[in-house]
Amino acid sequence: MVAVTVSTAARRHAARRAWRELRPILAKDAVAALGEGEADAFLTRAELALFDVHEPLAVLYGGRADVDELFERALRTALAAAVERPEPLRRLDRRREIDPGWFQRARVQGYVCYVDRFCGTLAELPAKLDYLAELGTTYLHLMPLLEPREGENDGGYAVADYRAVDPRLGTMRDLEAVAGALHERDMSLCIDLVLNHTAREHAWAQAWLAGDPAHAGFYTAFPDRTMPDAYDATIPEVFPDRAPGSFSWVPEARGGEGGWVWTTFWPYQWDLDYTNPAVTLAMLGEITWLANRGVDIFRMDAAPFMWKRLGTNCQNQPEAHTLLQLLHALTRLAAPGVVFKAEAIVAPDDLVQYLGGHERYRPECELAYHNQLMVLLWSSLATQDARLARAALGRMRTIPPTTSWCTYVRGHDDIGWAVSDIDAHTVGSDGFGHRRFLNDFYCGRFPGSFARGALFQENEVTGDARISGSAASLCGVESALEAGDAEALDAAVRRLVLLYSVAFAWGGIPLVYMGDELALCNDADYLRDPARAPDNRWMHRPLMDWAAAERRTDPRTLEGRVFGWMQRLGNARRSLVTLRGGVESTPLDVGNEFVLAWQRRSPIGGTFVGVANFSPYPQGVDADAVTGFGSYQRVLGSDGDPDVRYGRLVVPGLGFAWYAEP
């Protein structure tokens, strides 16, 4: 412990010394480029972020590079981006520096979609903003849209050029126009940024292959299988059936001698080597360039994989967190209104760290996906039992108050059942058996299942698999429509609304995945496309059904029922300060295993309690615990005011209710 303390003190002393020496020189250049006012703001941000920049550089690269020289290069990269930042974005930065928790406000509500599936092209998107505003959207996440490699590209995550848009979607100028249109409506733009790897066609990769000294060490290649086999011994395979192992043979590598290139995902996605500081600075340049196009939130894709260590699973390494801390600090020097969102679908104990939740807080990402909540909602729906959710969510570490969860019911990806053996054993279940049950239930082969999903990446040897399928189909809408069963359809809609009632009221930013607001079901058309047919995740990535959307205002239709509920959830949420970020949700034991109940206490907004009944039958809960001995008011509920009988508040089957202090 003493050695660590001394080392930290020494690094901070070095940081102060480096800043004293660099500041006068940097100040002169900043004033010349920005003017006194903007230069002063930039230098103040740099001084505040000193330990978040210099210290990570020393930790990551102190053994192989001149840290002070890297420090200057990094600050000058940020300064150059600050100089190029358009004036409208600078004004937005100022507002967000005054209100640093802007993304935590209860008014922030997200919508996630693929541009081509939603509206065709970026140029057509501004005309759809009225629809999104009607839904309550203030945060629009556009799925991968940067220019991918031609042909197979992992759904757009094999990026060939960070500074260009997929030509099928439009141009970078179109993206800037979308950002501007969003900002005019006080909406923000989120895009995916693939950090761990590029496409092999990316200019960096091609320069590395050609032996360009400026790109030496951007990627990793081994001459034989000795080291790849050593690494693969402990690295889980991401796509074991179609892309086994983490390395691919590339004949052109190593000056034409050939080499095993690190490819964690697909052979055409080459992992960047962040042990090389030039890679980090190059990625910083791409991030700030995109920020200056109007991007507000970066979804940091595959962040856990960014640093490798022999003998580990090469995920969640300490250096990956240090690297995110560094990129975050430097980005906010140039664009202080920008935030990071971690795409880290990892164990709950590992997840909180991406929000800076270490033994000592270090800012990394402001946002992260609450994957655990999503998984436990589907688990509770299948089992009609909330005990596992209560236990697992109650065991999670708290997150820093300056950060927030993104809560969601469905995403673009498959659902992996991240239910730990520890949590399963807590409620008397077997982790493997429960995960197997969930796969059987949601692919429809469990007797009595209402779901219409499909297994993704099934491993017949281990029994592992994940689930594809739209939220509506997994909730039973598709099977009910096929059977023409009105009662079953009503239950399916209640399930879908129930899940979203938790996502909207757990706290943080609720995300609506495109089509869920209309209860769109699985789309089998992907099977007609040879490029998409092998990947059944496309079944839950349908084309937007604008004819169905026209029925959203008619409460007699399926679309009208679900859209209306999404609006009510959003309106009620916006009325409750307690549902903004920065406040923890705590599961409550209300004396009923079928009901998930949670509480939030805000020093500004008071107390909130939500209840969600995963049983199809009415369930009684402790009325005093839910209603604060009658002092809380019902804000929203699936069926009006629940009855109170003998001290028990009765929650209707597949129903929910929100209570809050007046």
Side-chain angles (χ1 to χ4, degrees), residues 389-407:
R390 185 191 312 143
L393 293 168
R395 197 173 67 85
M396 287 190 69
R397 294 165 50 196
T398 59
I399 64 175
T402 53
T403 65
S404 284
W405 291 116
C406 288
T407 54

Side-chain angles (χ1 to χ4, degrees), residues 49-131:
L50 175 59
F51 297 143
D52 291 325
V53 175
H54 194 279
E55 193 170 344
L57 286 169
V59 169
L60 294 172
Y61 307 118
R64 59 177 292 178
D66 183 331
V67 174
D68 288 353
E69 188 267 338
L70 283 178
F71 180 58
E72 180 172 358
R73 285 171 57 193
L75 290 189
R76 289 194 177 280
T77 299
L79 175 60
V83 171
E84 295 171 0
R85 193 148 175 83
E87 180 58 30
L89 296 180
R90 292 186 188 180
R91 290 197 299 271
L92 188 59
D93 289 336
R94 284 194 286 274
R95 292 199 296 272
R96 290 175 177 172
E97 285 189 291
I98 293 170
D99 178 21
W102 63 271
F103 57 90
Q104 294 182 314
R105 293 191 173 277
R107 66 173 293 275
V108 180
Q109 177 182 319
Y111 191 82
V112 184
C113 64
Y114 288 87
V115 173
D116 56 337
R117 314 300 279 175
F118 181 62
C119 62
T121 66
L122 287 165
E124 296 171 274
L125 200 152
K128 302 298 185 183
L129 294 186
D130 284 344
Y131 173 83

Side-chain angles (χ1 to χ4, degrees), residues 248-293:
S248 300
W249 178 256
V250 178
E252 308 96 312
R254 301 179 61 251
E257 295 182 12
W260 291 94
V261 173
W262 204 310
T263 57
T264 295
F265 293 86
W266 297 101
Y268 51 78
Q269 290 169 309
W270 292 2
D271 287 36
L272 290 161
D273 186 351
Y274 281 99
T275 65
N276 179 358
V279 172
T280 303
L281 294 182
M283 185 57 73
L284 172 66
E286 304 306 276
I287 296 171
T288 53
W289 190 89
L290 286 165
N292 283 347
R293 309 280 83 74

Side-chain angles (χ1 to χ4, degrees), residues 402-532:
T402 53
T403 65
S404 284
W405 291 116
C406 288
T407 54
Y408 63 113
V409 168
R410 192 73 187 89
H412 76 289
D413 223 339
D414 51 279
I415 300 176
W417 303 115
V419 176
S420 74
D421 292 340
I422 294 174
D423 290 328
H425 291 158
T426 300
V427 295
S429 179
D430 170 67
F432 176 81
H434 185 64
R435 294 187 291 271
R436 186 75 174 257
F437 159 74
L438 292 174
N439 278 323
D440 288 345
F441 188 91
Y442 283 109
C443 77
R445 65 189 181 195
F446 189 85
S449 171
F450 48 74
R452 290 289 184 272
L455 295 178
F456 177 74
Q457 293 287 344
E458 182 180 18
N459 186 323
E460 295 182 358
V461 176
T462 65
D464 290 332
R466 282 108 73 187
I467 284 291
S468 294
S470 76
S473 291
L474 295 180
C475 283
V477 171
E478 184 175 342
S479 58
L481 290 174
E482 288 176 355
D485 188 332
E487 186 176 341
L489 182 61
D490 181 65
V493 169
R494 290 180 70 86
R495 292 186 195 105
L496 183 60
V497 173
L498 178 70
L499 297 183
Y500 268 102
S501 77
V502 183
F504 268 71
W506 190 260
I509 301 176
L511 305 178
V512 176
Y513 184 64
M514 188 203 85
D516 284 3
E517 76 277 14
L518 302 172
L520 294 189
C521 293
N522 292 335
D523 180 9
D525 284 348
Y526 79 97
L527 293 170
R528 301 173 185 171
D529 182 347
R532 290 174 172 166

